[in-house]
Short mmCIF file of all heavy atoms in Angstrom, two decimals:
data_model
loop_
_atom_site.label_atom_id
_atom_site.label_comp_id
_atom_site.label_asym_id
_atom_site.label_seq_id
_atom_site.Cartn_x
_atom_site.Cartn_y
_atom_site.Cartn_z
N THR A 1 -5.51 9.13 -4.90
CA THR A 1 -5.78 10.28 -4.03
C THR A 1 -4.97 10.24 -2.75
O THR A 1 -4.82 11.27 -2.09
CB THR A 1 -7.27 10.35 -3.67
OG1 THR A 1 -7.67 9.11 -3.05
CG2 THR A 1 -8.12 10.59 -4.92
N ASP A 2 -4.42 9.08 -2.40
CA ASP A 2 -3.57 8.99 -1.20
C ASP A 2 -2.73 7.73 -1.29
O ASP A 2 -3.14 6.72 -1.90
CB ASP A 2 -4.41 8.97 0.07
CG ASP A 2 -3.56 9.27 1.30
OD1 ASP A 2 -2.45 9.80 1.15
OD2 ASP A 2 -4.02 8.97 2.43
N TYR A 3 -1.54 7.78 -0.70
CA TYR A 3 -0.62 6.65 -0.72
C TYR A 3 0.12 6.61 0.61
O TYR A 3 0.60 7.63 1.08
CB TYR A 3 0.37 6.77 -1.86
CG TYR A 3 1.48 5.73 -1.82
CD1 TYR A 3 1.28 4.44 -2.31
CD2 TYR A 3 2.74 6.04 -1.26
CE1 TYR A 3 2.30 3.50 -2.27
CE2 TYR A 3 3.74 5.10 -1.22
CZ TYR A 3 3.52 3.82 -1.71
OH TYR A 3 4.53 2.88 -1.67
N THR A 4 0.20 5.45 1.24
CA THR A 4 1.01 5.26 2.45
C THR A 4 1.74 3.94 2.36
O THR A 4 1.33 3.02 1.62
CB THR A 4 0.15 5.26 3.74
OG1 THR A 4 -0.84 4.23 3.64
CG2 THR A 4 -0.52 6.60 3.95
N GLU A 5 2.81 3.86 3.10
CA GLU A 5 3.59 2.62 3.12
C GLU A 5 4.26 2.48 4.46
O GLU A 5 4.42 3.45 5.22
CB GLU A 5 4.66 2.64 2.02
CG GLU A 5 5.69 3.74 2.22
CD GLU A 5 6.71 3.83 1.09
OE1 GLU A 5 6.32 3.67 -0.08
OE2 GLU A 5 7.89 4.07 1.41
N HIS A 6 4.65 1.27 4.83
CA HIS A 6 5.41 1.03 6.06
C HIS A 6 6.11 -0.31 5.97
O HIS A 6 5.74 -1.18 5.15
CB HIS A 6 4.52 1.09 7.30
CG HIS A 6 3.48 0.00 7.38
ND1 HIS A 6 3.77 -1.26 7.81
CD2 HIS A 6 2.16 0.02 7.07
CE1 HIS A 6 2.67 -2.00 7.79
NE2 HIS A 6 1.67 -1.23 7.33
N ALA A 7 7.12 -0.48 6.79
CA ALA A 7 7.85 -1.74 6.84
C ALA A 7 7.06 -2.76 7.64
O ALA A 7 6.32 -2.42 8.56
CB ALA A 7 9.22 -1.53 7.47
N LEU A 8 7.23 -4.01 7.30
CA LEU A 8 6.65 -5.13 8.06
C LEU A 8 7.81 -5.88 8.70
O LEU A 8 8.49 -6.67 8.05
CB LEU A 8 5.86 -6.06 7.15
CG LEU A 8 4.55 -5.54 6.57
CD1 LEU A 8 3.99 -6.51 5.54
CD2 LEU A 8 3.54 -5.32 7.67
N GLY A 9 8.08 -5.57 9.95
CA GLY A 9 9.19 -6.22 10.62
C GLY A 9 10.47 -5.44 10.43
O GLY A 9 10.50 -4.35 9.86
N THR A 10 11.56 -6.03 10.93
CA THR A 10 12.88 -5.40 10.84
C THR A 10 13.90 -6.43 10.38
O THR A 10 13.63 -7.64 10.35
CB THR A 10 13.31 -4.84 12.21
OG1 THR A 10 13.35 -5.92 13.16
CG2 THR A 10 12.36 -3.75 12.68
N GLY A 11 15.07 -5.93 10.01
CA GLY A 11 16.15 -6.82 9.62
C GLY A 11 16.11 -7.19 8.16
O GLY A 11 15.33 -6.66 7.34
N THR A 12 16.95 -8.15 7.81
CA THR A 12 17.11 -8.52 6.40
C THR A 12 15.87 -9.19 5.82
O THR A 12 15.68 -9.20 4.61
CB THR A 12 18.32 -9.47 6.24
OG1 THR A 12 18.12 -10.62 7.09
CG2 THR A 12 19.60 -8.77 6.64
N ASN A 13 15.02 -9.76 6.67
CA ASN A 13 13.82 -10.45 6.17
C ASN A 13 12.57 -9.56 6.21
O ASN A 13 11.46 -10.04 6.02
CB ASN A 13 13.56 -11.71 7.00
CG ASN A 13 14.67 -12.74 6.82
OD1 ASN A 13 15.20 -12.91 5.74
ND2 ASN A 13 15.03 -13.42 7.92
N ALA A 14 12.76 -8.28 6.47
CA ALA A 14 11.62 -7.38 6.57
C ALA A 14 10.93 -7.25 5.21
O ALA A 14 11.58 -7.28 4.15
CB ALA A 14 12.06 -6.01 7.05
N ARG A 15 9.62 -7.09 5.25
CA ARG A 15 8.84 -6.83 4.05
C ARG A 15 8.24 -5.44 4.14
O ARG A 15 8.46 -4.73 5.10
CB ARG A 15 7.75 -7.89 3.89
CG ARG A 15 8.27 -9.30 3.72
CD ARG A 15 7.10 -10.28 3.62
NE ARG A 15 6.28 -10.23 4.81
CZ ARG A 15 4.99 -10.59 4.86
NH1 ARG A 15 4.37 -10.99 3.75
NH2 ARG A 15 4.31 -10.53 5.99
N ALA A 16 7.49 -5.07 3.12
CA ALA A 16 6.87 -3.75 3.11
C ALA A 16 5.41 -3.90 2.68
O ALA A 16 5.04 -4.82 1.96
CB ALA A 16 7.61 -2.82 2.14
N ALA A 17 4.60 -2.96 3.17
CA ALA A 17 3.19 -2.89 2.78
C ALA A 17 2.92 -1.51 2.21
O ALA A 17 3.40 -0.50 2.72
CB ALA A 17 2.28 -3.16 3.97
N ALA A 18 2.14 -1.47 1.14
CA ALA A 18 1.76 -0.21 0.51
C ALA A 18 0.25 -0.17 0.37
O ALA A 18 -0.40 -1.19 0.09
CB ALA A 18 2.43 -0.08 -0.86
N TYR A 19 -0.34 1.02 0.59
CA TYR A 19 -1.79 1.18 0.52
C TYR A 19 -2.11 2.34 -0.43
O TYR A 19 -1.49 3.41 -0.34
CB TYR A 19 -2.36 1.50 1.91
CG TYR A 19 -1.91 0.56 3.00
CD1 TYR A 19 -0.82 0.89 3.81
CD2 TYR A 19 -2.55 -0.66 3.22
CE1 TYR A 19 -0.39 0.03 4.81
CE2 TYR A 19 -2.14 -1.51 4.21
CZ TYR A 19 -1.05 -1.17 5.01
OH TYR A 19 -0.62 -2.02 6.00
N LEU A 20 -3.05 2.10 -1.30
CA LEU A 20 -3.48 3.13 -2.25
C LEU A 20 -4.95 3.45 -2.07
O LEU A 20 -5.78 2.53 -2.01
CB LEU A 20 -3.29 2.64 -3.70
CG LEU A 20 -1.92 2.72 -4.36
CD1 LEU A 20 -2.03 2.21 -5.78
CD2 LEU A 20 -1.40 4.14 -4.36
N GLU A 21 -5.25 4.74 -2.00
CA GLU A 21 -6.63 5.19 -2.09
C GLU A 21 -6.82 5.79 -3.47
O GLU A 21 -6.10 6.73 -3.85
CB GLU A 21 -6.95 6.23 -1.02
CG GLU A 21 -8.41 6.70 -1.07
CD GLU A 21 -8.69 7.82 -0.08
OE1 GLU A 21 -7.75 8.30 0.57
OE2 GLU A 21 -9.87 8.24 0.01
N CYS A 22 -7.75 5.25 -4.24
CA CYS A 22 -7.96 5.69 -5.62
C CYS A 22 -9.42 6.08 -5.84
O CYS A 22 -10.30 5.73 -5.04
CB CYS A 22 -7.61 4.56 -6.61
SG CYS A 22 -5.95 3.91 -6.44
N GLN A 23 -9.64 6.74 -6.94
CA GLN A 23 -11.00 6.98 -7.42
C GLN A 23 -11.09 6.53 -8.86
O GLN A 23 -10.17 6.74 -9.66
CB GLN A 23 -11.35 8.47 -7.32
CG GLN A 23 -11.70 8.93 -5.93
CD GLN A 23 -12.29 10.33 -5.89
OE1 GLN A 23 -12.17 11.08 -6.87
NE2 GLN A 23 -12.94 10.68 -4.81
N ASP A 24 -12.21 5.90 -9.20
CA ASP A 24 -12.42 5.52 -10.60
C ASP A 24 -13.08 6.69 -11.33
O ASP A 24 -13.32 7.76 -10.76
CB ASP A 24 -13.24 4.23 -10.70
CG ASP A 24 -14.63 4.36 -10.12
OD1 ASP A 24 -15.10 5.49 -9.87
OD2 ASP A 24 -15.27 3.30 -9.89
N SER A 25 -13.41 6.47 -12.58
CA SER A 25 -13.96 7.54 -13.41
C SER A 25 -15.31 8.03 -12.91
O SER A 25 -15.71 9.16 -13.21
CB SER A 25 -14.08 7.07 -14.86
OG SER A 25 -14.86 5.88 -14.93
N ALA A 26 -16.01 7.21 -12.12
CA ALA A 26 -17.31 7.59 -11.57
C ALA A 26 -17.18 8.28 -10.23
O ALA A 26 -18.18 8.66 -9.62
CB ALA A 26 -18.21 6.37 -11.45
N GLY A 27 -15.96 8.42 -9.73
CA GLY A 27 -15.74 9.06 -8.44
C GLY A 27 -15.84 8.14 -7.26
O GLY A 27 -15.82 8.59 -6.10
N THR A 28 -15.93 6.83 -7.48
CA THR A 28 -16.02 5.85 -6.40
C THR A 28 -14.63 5.60 -5.80
O THR A 28 -13.66 5.43 -6.53
CB THR A 28 -16.60 4.52 -6.92
OG1 THR A 28 -17.87 4.76 -7.51
CG2 THR A 28 -16.73 3.51 -5.79
N THR A 29 -14.56 5.58 -4.49
CA THR A 29 -13.28 5.32 -3.82
C THR A 29 -12.98 3.83 -3.84
O THR A 29 -13.83 3.00 -3.52
CB THR A 29 -13.32 5.81 -2.36
OG1 THR A 29 -13.51 7.24 -2.36
CG2 THR A 29 -12.01 5.48 -1.64
N ILE A 30 -11.77 3.50 -4.21
CA ILE A 30 -11.31 2.11 -4.30
C ILE A 30 -9.96 2.01 -3.61
O ILE A 30 -9.08 2.87 -3.81
CB ILE A 30 -11.20 1.66 -5.77
CG1 ILE A 30 -12.60 1.63 -6.42
CG2 ILE A 30 -10.54 0.28 -5.85
CD1 ILE A 30 -12.58 1.32 -7.88
N TRP A 31 -9.80 0.98 -2.80
CA TRP A 31 -8.57 0.78 -2.05
C TRP A 31 -7.78 -0.40 -2.60
O TRP A 31 -8.35 -1.37 -3.09
CB TRP A 31 -8.86 0.53 -0.58
CG TRP A 31 -9.23 1.77 0.18
CD1 TRP A 31 -10.47 2.28 0.36
CD2 TRP A 31 -8.34 2.67 0.80
NE1 TRP A 31 -10.43 3.45 1.08
CE2 TRP A 31 -9.11 3.72 1.37
CE3 TRP A 31 -6.95 2.72 0.95
CZ2 TRP A 31 -8.54 4.78 2.06
CZ3 TRP A 31 -6.37 3.77 1.66
CH2 TRP A 31 -7.17 4.79 2.19
N GLY A 32 -6.46 -0.28 -2.51
CA GLY A 32 -5.58 -1.37 -2.89
C GLY A 32 -4.50 -1.54 -1.86
O GLY A 32 -4.10 -0.59 -1.17
N CYS A 33 -4.00 -2.76 -1.73
CA CYS A 33 -2.90 -3.07 -0.80
C CYS A 33 -1.94 -4.03 -1.47
O CYS A 33 -2.36 -4.99 -2.12
CB CYS A 33 -3.45 -3.70 0.49
SG CYS A 33 -2.15 -4.23 1.65
N GLY A 34 -0.66 -3.76 -1.32
CA GLY A 34 0.36 -4.64 -1.86
C GLY A 34 1.40 -4.96 -0.80
O GLY A 34 1.77 -4.10 0.00
N ILE A 35 1.86 -6.21 -0.77
CA ILE A 35 2.86 -6.65 0.20
C ILE A 35 3.98 -7.35 -0.57
O ILE A 35 3.73 -8.20 -1.42
CB ILE A 35 2.25 -7.62 1.23
CG1 ILE A 35 1.13 -6.93 2.01
CG2 ILE A 35 3.32 -8.14 2.19
CD1 ILE A 35 0.34 -7.88 2.91
N ASP A 36 5.23 -6.95 -0.28
CA ASP A 36 6.36 -7.57 -0.96
C ASP A 36 7.63 -7.29 -0.16
O ASP A 36 7.65 -6.41 0.71
CB ASP A 36 6.50 -7.01 -2.37
CG ASP A 36 7.35 -7.91 -3.26
OD1 ASP A 36 6.76 -8.82 -3.91
OD2 ASP A 36 8.57 -7.72 -3.32
N GLU A 37 8.68 -8.05 -0.47
CA GLU A 37 9.96 -7.79 0.16
C GLU A 37 10.53 -6.45 -0.27
O GLU A 37 11.33 -5.83 0.44
CB GLU A 37 10.97 -8.90 -0.19
CG GLU A 37 10.71 -10.23 0.50
CD GLU A 37 9.59 -11.03 -0.15
OE1 GLU A 37 9.12 -10.61 -1.25
OE2 GLU A 37 9.17 -12.04 0.42
N ASP A 38 10.14 -5.98 -1.45
CA ASP A 38 10.63 -4.73 -2.01
C ASP A 38 9.51 -3.70 -2.00
O ASP A 38 8.39 -3.98 -2.44
CB ASP A 38 11.11 -4.97 -3.45
CG ASP A 38 11.47 -3.70 -4.18
OD1 ASP A 38 12.43 -3.04 -3.76
OD2 ASP A 38 10.77 -3.36 -5.14
N ILE A 39 9.78 -2.49 -1.48
CA ILE A 39 8.73 -1.50 -1.35
C ILE A 39 8.19 -1.05 -2.70
O ILE A 39 6.99 -0.78 -2.85
CB ILE A 39 9.23 -0.28 -0.53
CG1 ILE A 39 8.07 0.69 -0.25
CG2 ILE A 39 10.38 0.42 -1.22
CD1 ILE A 39 6.91 0.11 0.47
#
């Protein structure tokens, strides 16, 4: 239902963070977060 992302730091060693807002089949909101060098 929603997705956002942003860089973590600057330069060649910067990483990225991604956030997901989801709903399951019952309509419950569930959040996820991922962190990696690659967005």
Side-chain angles (χ1 to χ4, degrees):
T1 56
D2 196 18
Y3 172 82
T4 58
E5 64 184 40
H6 65 80
L8 291 172
T10 59
T12 56
N13 295 323
R15 297 178 301 156
Y19 310 95
L20 278 181
E21 181 185 5
C22 304
Q23 282 190 344
D24 62 15
S25 55
T28 303
T29 297
I30 294 175
W31 284 90
C33 176
I35 300 172
D36 199 89
E37 288 78 9
D38 173 64
I39 186 58

